[in-house]
Amino acid sequence: MLRVSVVVPVYNAGTYLDRCAPSLLGQTLGRDAYEVIYVDDGSTDDSPERLARLASRHPHVRVITQENSGWPGRPRNVGVRAARGEYVQFVDQDDELMPEALQRLYDLAVRNDSDIVLGKVTGTMQGPSSVFKHTVDQCTAADAPLFETLTPHKMFRREFLLSHGIEFPEGRVRLEDQVFMARAYVRAKRVSILGDYPCYVWNRREDGGNTSAGATLPETYYAHLRTVVDAIKEGTDPGPLQDHLLRRSYRVELLRPVSEPRILQRTGDHLRRYFETVRRMALDAYPPGVRDGLPAITRLRGKLLEDGNLDSLLELARRVRQIKPEVTVEDVHWHKGRLLITTRTGMIRPDGEPLTLVDHHGRLLLDPDLLAGIKGAENWEAPHPFAYAHGELLVHDTTRDEWWFPPGDLAPRTEPLGDGRHRVVLAGRSTLDPETLRGNTPMLPGTHLVWSYAQLLGVGRRSRLANPARPHIPATVSGTPPRLVAPAWTTRDAQLRAAVAPPGSATIAKRVLLHATSSPRVRTTARDTLNHLPPGVRRRMRAVLRGVDPWAGGAGGSGGAGGSVGS
C-alpha cells in the first residue's frame, strides 16, 4: 500500500496546474511512496491535455475524468474511493504543498495513529491562526480549537473516512467543506497538528477565482449552515460539548450579518432580510447553552438578535467598531540569547476611556457608559469576565508571508479603577528566541514584524506592537552559523521588528556588535572595521548601527529581504 494519495479536483485550471504540479511531484516522501490523483470534473479548457502530459511523464500521477458535477465535492469523493494510499491529502488545483509536507504529515500521523493531521497553512489567503501555534501530537475536538479551521486541505486516514461514510456533499452546495470537516472532527479519535513547518500554500488567485461560490441568497446560505449544525448534532450528545462545538458557527457565521462591519454596510430591506433569516436560525437551531457560554459583548449580540432588536444591534455595532486596543510595551531586553517582551493590553472605548466592568451589588455589569441608551442592553451582566479572554504576540516573516507565535504567559486579570469600576487586561511576558521561533528552527534572513492580538469581553483586535519612545535594543549574534539579529522600531509606526542577516557574516557581525559598548576605544575599532569592508557590506552594517533595517524594502522596515552580507 502507498503511504499517501494526493487528491486534486480539477475544473478549467489552465496554467494554475503548471504552478501547482511541481510542488506535488517532487515531495521528499519519495515517488514510490505516494501518488497524485487528478480528478477532472469535465473541464472545457486545455486542462485535460495538461493532465495527460503530466501522467505520461510521471508514473506516480493518475488522471480520472468525469462529466461535470458542479463543484469540488464529487471529484474529491471519487478521488478518495480510487486512492491507494493509507492516507489522503486534499489539495486544490491552484494551491501548493511545501517540499517536505507529505513526509512530515505522514510521519506525525503514523507516530500517533492519527485519523486527521492538520498542517500549518500559509499564503495570501490565510492569515495567522493560533490553531497552528505549535505542534500537537494528539488532540480531539473536545480539547483543541479544531473548528477554527474548517477547510479540507488536510491529511485523513482513508479507512477512517470510508468506515464512517464521511463524504463531501455533491453538487452546488455551499459550505460543503464545513459539512465534511464537522462530520470528520466529531468522529476522529486522534487528531494531530503540525505547527512547526508550513505545509500548505493557499494563495489568492489573480482572477479572484479561489472559490466556486457566487452570489447566494441569505435563505440559501443559512440553510446550508443548518446542515453544518446538524452534522455536529448528529455526532455529539446534547450538552456542554455540543454547545462548545456549535459556538464557532454561531459567533462567526450566524452573528456576522448583525455585527460590524456587515450590519453597517447593509440597509433597508436587504438588511432586514438577513436579520430575519439569522434570527429564525438562532431561535430554531441553537440550544440556549451556545449563547450563554460566549463573552459579554458577543452574548449581548445574540440576545438582541433573538429578541428582535435590530436598531439596538445597529447602535451596538457603531460603538463596538470604535473600540481600540491599548497596548503598552513595558520592557524589551535580551536574556541568554532570547528577546523578552513584557506587555499589557486593555481595550479603549470610543470616548478614549477604558472599557470597564462595574460592580453593582455583587454583580459585574458590562460598561454602562458603552451601552447607555441601547434598548435591551440595560444592566447587561458579565458573569464570566475572562470567557474567551486570551492574547498573544505574533511575528510576521514578511519575506515569506509566514506567521509564528513566540511562547508567552499573557493572562487576563482585572485592575481596579475606583468607584467599583474594573478593567480587564492581558499582561505578561513573551519570549522571542531567534533559534526556535520557526517551530524549533532558526529565524530566516529578512524582516520580521511583531504584532499583538487580544480578545477581551468579546472584542478581538490585532495591532502593531509599538512603542513611540523607541528605546534602543542592541543587536546580537545568534546560532550556528552565526547570524546578526537586529531588533529596532520602524520609522513610521514605531513597530517592533527584527532584521535577520543571512548566515556567513560571523566575523563582521561580532565586530559590529562592539558598538553596543560604552568604550570609545572599542567604538573606534568598530568604525575602523567598517571602513575596511566592501562598499555594499559597509553600507548595510552602518545601517544596522543607525537602527535601520538594511534587509527590508525601505528604511521603515516593512518590506521583504534583499541583498546579503558576505563574511
Side-chain angles (χ1 to χ4, degrees), residues 233-547:
K233 290 181 176 180
E234 290 167 4
T236 57
D237 295 324
L241 175 59
Q242 186 182 100
D243 292 344
H244 170 69
L245 299 183
L246 289 172
R247 285 190 188 112
R248 191 270 179 191
S249 65
Y250 187 95
R251 62 182 171 81
V252 175
E253 273 87 21
L254 190 79
L255 292 183
R256 181 184 292 136
V258 294
S259 303
E260 66 284 349
R262 297 292 179 86
I263 192 173
L264 303 176
Q265 295 168 343
R266 297 185 174 111
T267 58
D269 291 342
H270 191 47
L271 171 60
R272 174 67 62 175
R273 185 174 184 177
Y274 270 92
F275 171 74
E276 294 296 347
T277 300
V278 297
R279 180 169 182 251
R280 284 193 299 271
M281 185 168 178
L283 294 170
D284 296 344
Y286 292 91
V290 174
R291 189 193 72 197
D292 293 343
L294 293 168
I297 291 177
T298 312
R299 188 167 48 87
L300 176 58
R301 278 202 182 96
K303 182 64 164 57
L304 296 175
L305 171 65
E306 294 178 19
D307 289 348
N309 289 331
L310 177 55
D311 290 340
S312 295
L313 283 166
L314 282 162
E315 184 57 31
L316 179 65
R318 293 187 188 102
R319 299 183 189 184
V320 173
R321 178 180 59 177
Q322 299 179 66
I323 293 177
K324 297 180 180 179
E326 183 181 53
V327 184
T328 302
V329 182
E330 297 183 340
D331 181 59
V332 182
H333 70 274
W334 290 104
H335 179 69
K336 295 183 178 180
R338 300 169 180 173
L339 193 64
L340 306 184
I341 308 169
T342 304
T343 60
R344 177 177 167 277
T345 303
M347 294 294 172
I348 300 294
R349 294 189 320 231
D351 60 3
E353 294 296 319
L355 181 66
T356 62
L357 299 173
V358 176
D359 190 342
H360 182 70
H361 303 301
R363 299 166 59 222
L364 282 178
L365 304 182
L366 182 61
D367 198 320
D369 292 326
L370 176 75
L371 304 181
I374 299 180
K375 180 182 177 182
E378 304 87 356
N379 297 321
W380 187 249
E381 192 171 357
H384 307 293
F386 298 156
Y388 281 76
H390 70 277
E392 59 221 353
L393 296 191
L394 305 88
V395 178
H396 185 201
D397 180 343
T398 61
T399 305
R400 299 155 193 87
D401 202 15
E402 296 173 358
W403 292 85
W404 301 94
F405 296 82
D409 59 1
L410 304 185
R413 71 186 188 208
T414 57
E415 294 181 348
L417 299 176
D419 298 325
R421 298 163 61 245
H422 304 269
R423 185 183 194 187
V424 181
V425 300
L426 285 162
R429 174 181 288 174
S430 302
T431 303
L432 196 165
D433 186 344
E435 293 306 296
T436 62
L437 178 68
R438 300 183 77 256
N440 295 318
T441 60
M443 296 170 68
L444 297 177
T447 300
H448 300 73
L449 296 173
V450 185
W451 296 76
S452 169
Y453 177 79
Q455 169 76 236
L456 294 169
L457 298 172
V459 180
R461 297 288 187 266
R462 187 169 82 227
S463 60
R464 303 175 189 275
L465 189 71
N467 187 346
R470 295 184 174 87
H472 173 69
I473 311 170
T476 191
V477 170
S478 179
T480 303
R483 301 173 326 283
L484 183 69
V485 180
W489 309 91
T490 61
T491 303
R492 184 178 62 185
D493 301 302
Q495 182 178 6
L496 181 62
R497 62 98 177 94
V500 180
S505 55
T507 302
I508 297 171
K510 289 177 181 177
R511 291 176 179 173
V512 169
L513 286 178
L514 295 176
H515 85 280
T517 182
S518 59
S519 167
R521 181 180 62 81
V522 175
R523 284 203 303 271
T524 300
T525 301
R527 186 164 52 249
D528 291 342
T529 299
L530 286 173
N531 290 335
H532 287 88
L533 294 175
V537 176
R538 182 167 64 244
R539 183 176 64 255
R540 291 180 173 88
M541 289 296 102
R542 281 179 170 162
V544 170
L545 293 175
R546 295 196 307 271

Side-chain angles (χ1 to χ4, degrees), residues 105-179:
L105 291 168
Y106 179 79
D107 288 347
L108 186 60
V110 171
R111 185 166 70 246
N112 294 285
D113 195 23
S114 307
D115 294 322
I116 310 172
V117 185
L118 285 59
K120 185 180 181 74
V121 182
T122 186
T124 55
M125 283 285 287
Q126 174 66 50
S129 173
S130 58
V131 174
F132 303 106
K133 184 182 294 188
H134 48 75
T135 292
V136 178
D137 282 339
Q138 296 185 20
C139 63
T140 67
D143 53 34
L146 301 180
F147 273 81
E148 297 303 316
T149 170
L150 292 172
T151 61
H153 311 129
K154 300 167 175 65
M155 186 173 283
F156 301 83
R157 188 202 310 273
R158 180 172 178 268
E159 181 57 32
F160 164 72
L161 297 179
L162 296 177
S163 63
H164 288 283
I166 300 171
E167 293 187 332
F168 289 89
E170 298 186 1
R172 292 184 172 271
V173 179
R174 290 296 304 270
L175 301 177
E176 79 280 4
D177 292 353
Q178 291 197 22
V179 174

Side-chain angles (χ1 to χ4, degrees), residues 90-110:
F90 294 111
V91 176
D92 283 348
Q93 62 187 16
D94 39 23
D95 298 332
E96 299 173 56
L97 290 182
M98 295 296 281
E100 300 176 26
L102 295 185
Q103 181 71 67
R104 290 176 179 248
L105 291 168
Y106 179 79
D107 288 347
L108 186 60
V110 171

